[in-house]
Amino acid sequence: MDPKLLLLLFQLFQSSCWMVRATLSKTDAKKSHKTEAETSLSEVSVLDRGLVVSDLNWKDVVKEEKRYCARIKKVFKGPVLGYVTPWNSHGYDMAKVFGSKLTSVSPVWLQLRRRGPEIYDVTGLHDHDPGWVKAVRKSNKKVRIVPRLLFDGWSYQDYMSVLTSEDEIEELGSELVDVAKTEGFDGFTFELWSQLGGNKRKELVHFMKHVCETLKVKRLDCILVIPPPVTSAGQPGMFSREEFEHLAPVVDGFSLMTYDYSSGPRPGPSSPLHWVKDCVLQLAPSAQWREKILLGLNLYGLDFSGQGTDPILGGRYVDILREHRPKLLWDEYSAEHYFTYKRYSFEFRRLTIMFLSVFQSLQMRIALATELGTGLSLWELGQGLDYFYDLL
């Protein structure tokens, strides 16, 4: 569907919203629907059960979403990085169940703080759960545990002091090696590039080269989170081919954030397929180093209303399907499913448009990764539906 036409329809529906002065009448209230989920595991994958289709029925999602294939086997040939967060315990469970499909797991645990000149402190270690790590490694002896490291509370002057000093960089790298060895980590996933808003790129390249080389000497992995090289407006992003080519020889993986394409009041896709492909080709027009790009897949949906955009996780998505029984529509332009439903509150009834990542869209992005020779990064484990992992 043309994005402009979709926006026009959304605005027309929004303008027709009406105010309710009292509680909703019985005729307005939705009846409960009793379609229940199957809980037993399946002997075959979702591909063999005919669920990876563009004309998906809401009942099939509600019924099948917990039924992943009992025979867990990696299908995707490239590397797969999965994020887990402390506020989503289901992601921890998914990492244990599907560990054999993952190359690396990045728990969102750590913050790097600068306490003074050449003084660094890694916080968040209280979230480190050795028992869980042991369980993940039991499912896959080769999996790499690479916690995300957020540069937290850094001022602009902190960045400048570190980026322009070899002594500062060496001390920072030494602190990270010590933490990794003490805690049993296999490296780190660095999230700092976007925090300078696209500025000081040469200095950031030098910094990352130095830190990654320090880690690699100790056989530790160095993964860098990067913003898309092309914005949704078609403008150059904060990370370009030049930076990619400088860093590719030393960085083990680039976690590419190819999602959140649409935001704010304008309804639209989360990750249009043509844009995802363009992002990869902008960074790596030739095949060299492409295997280090971890194409980002969002396992959540986007819910657009007049009040803004909300991420929708798997459980809430199933609840909405069960309650509203919408017709799932396929947008050829973005290769994503979407549907509309009416959201009720005490004062308002609003039309909402939801774009979501379900089988057909995920399968097409995984196929694109295979075609281009990239890996995958999943934000985040446990946010989607359990049977999504059959595709990996």
Side-chain angles (χ1 to χ4, degrees), residues 251-262:
V251 171
D252 294 293
F254 296 87
S255 182
L256 178 58
M257 300 170 67
T258 39
Y259 36 78
D260 292 343
Y261 179 87
S262 303

Side-chain angles (χ1 to χ4, degrees), residues 83 87 106-111 146-150 188-191 225 379:
Y83 290 92
W87 51 87
S106 182
V108 179
W109 288 338
L110 308 181
Q111 306 83 41
V146 285
R148 191 194 70 171
L149 187 69
L150 179 67
F188 297 97
T189 300
F190 292 84
E191 184 159 354
V225 178
W379 184 271

Side-chain angles (χ1 to χ4, degrees), residues 46-98:
V46 292
L47 289 164
D48 297 323
R49 279 150 50 204
L51 296 173
V52 185
V53 292
S54 58
D55 58 339
L56 187 62
N57 188 290
W58 71 270
K59 289 184 180 180
D60 292 332
V61 178
V62 172
K63 182 180 178 181
E64 299 282 343
E65 53 102 2
K66 295 185 182 299
R67 300 189 67 225
Y68 57 86
C69 183
R71 290 173 289 185
I72 298 173
K73 182 179 179 181
K74 194 172 189 290
V75 178
F76 180 70
K77 302 302 181 184
V80 179
L81 167 68
Y83 290 92
V84 295
T85 60
W87 51 87
N88 183 356
S89 61
H90 193 51
Y92 284 78
D93 294 335
M94 294 296 95
K96 290 187 292 186
V97 173
F98 298 105

Side-chain angles (χ1 to χ4, degrees), residues 17-37:
C17 293
W18 47 272
M19 182 173 289
V20 179
R21 296 187 181 274
T23 56
L24 295 171
S25 68
K26 292 181 180 179
T27 55
D28 289 323
K30 289 279 185 181
K31 296 179 180 180
S32 63
H33 305 290
K34 297 297 184 180
T35 301
E36 298 296 336

Side-chain angles (χ1 to χ4, degrees), residues 95-130:
K96 290 187 292 186
V97 173
F98 298 105
S100 61
K101 292 175 176 276
L102 304 172
T103 311
S104 305
V105 177
S106 182
V108 179
W109 288 338
L110 308 181
Q111 306 83 41
L112 179 66
R113 303 182 189 274
R114 185 172 185 260
R115 303 301 189 187
E118 300 183 31
I119 302 174
Y120 299 94
D121 185 21
V122 175
T123 60
L125 290 169
H126 62 277
D127 283 322
H128 179 201
D129 183 347

Side-chain angles (χ1 to χ4, degrees), residues 44-244:
V44 295
S45 76
V46 292
L47 289 164
D48 297 323
R49 279 150 50 204
L51 296 173
V52 185
V53 292
S54 58
D55 58 339
L56 187 62
N57 188 290
W58 71 270
K59 289 184 180 180
D60 292 332
V61 178
V62 172
K63 182 180 178 181
E64 299 282 343
E65 53 102 2
K66 295 185 182 299
R67 300 189 67 225
Y68 57 86
C69 183
R71 290 173 289 185
I72 298 173
K73 182 179 179 181
K74 194 172 189 290
V75 178
F76 180 70
K77 302 302 181 184
V80 179
L81 167 68
Y83 290 92
V84 295
T85 60
W87 51 87
N88 183 356
S89 61
H90 193 51
Y92 284 78
D93 294 335
M94 294 296 95
K96 290 187 292 186
V97 173
F98 298 105
S100 61
K101 292 175 176 276
L102 304 172
T103 311
S104 305
V105 177
S106 182
V108 179
W109 288 338
L110 308 181
Q111 306 83 41
L112 179 66
R113 303 182 189 274
R114 185 172 185 260
R115 303 301 189 187
E118 300 183 31
I119 302 174
Y120 299 94
D121 185 21
V122 175
T123 60
L125 290 169
H126 62 277
D127 283 322
H128 179 201
D129 183 347
W132 171 78
V133 171
K134 183 178 180 180
V136 174
R137 293 192 189 279
K138 184 177 180 180
S139 68
N140 181 358
K141 293 181 180 179
K142 295 182 178 180
V143 73
R144 307 285 284 178
I145 305 298
V146 285
R148 191 194 70 171
L149 187 69
L150 179 67
F151 285 53
D152 193 37
W154 285 48
S155 66
Y156 183 79
Q157 187 55 50
D158 284 329
Y159 279 108
M160 292 305 97
S161 297
V162 174
L163 296 180
T164 57
S165 169
E166 295 298 319
D167 290 340
E168 288 274 2
I169 297 174
E170 287 182 11
E171 187 61 36
L172 186 154
S174 178
E175 173 67 17
L176 295 183
V177 168
D178 289 345
V179 169
K181 293 302 182 183
T182 300
E183 300 293 329
F185 301 147
D186 299 306
F188 297 97
T189 300
F190 292 84
E191 184 159 354
L192 80 158
W193 199 274
S194 298
Q195 290 174 275
L196 285 175
N199 298 311
K200 302 297 178 181
R201 297 191 192 185
K202 289 183 179 179
E203 291 84 352
L204 282 171
V205 165
H206 172 73
F207 169 80
M208 286 306 306
K209 274 187 172 182
H210 197 143
V211 172
C212 288
E213 287 168 351
T214 299
L215 294 177
K216 288 175 78 68
V217 168
K218 301 298 182 178
R219 297 182 180 180
L220 297 171
D221 294 346
C222 180
I223 296 174
L224 178 63
V225 178
I226 58 172
V230 184
T231 69
S232 58
Q235 300 300 312
M238 292 186 288
F239 189 87
S240 71
R241 184 189 310 170
E242 181 179 358
E243 289 85 53
F244 176 77

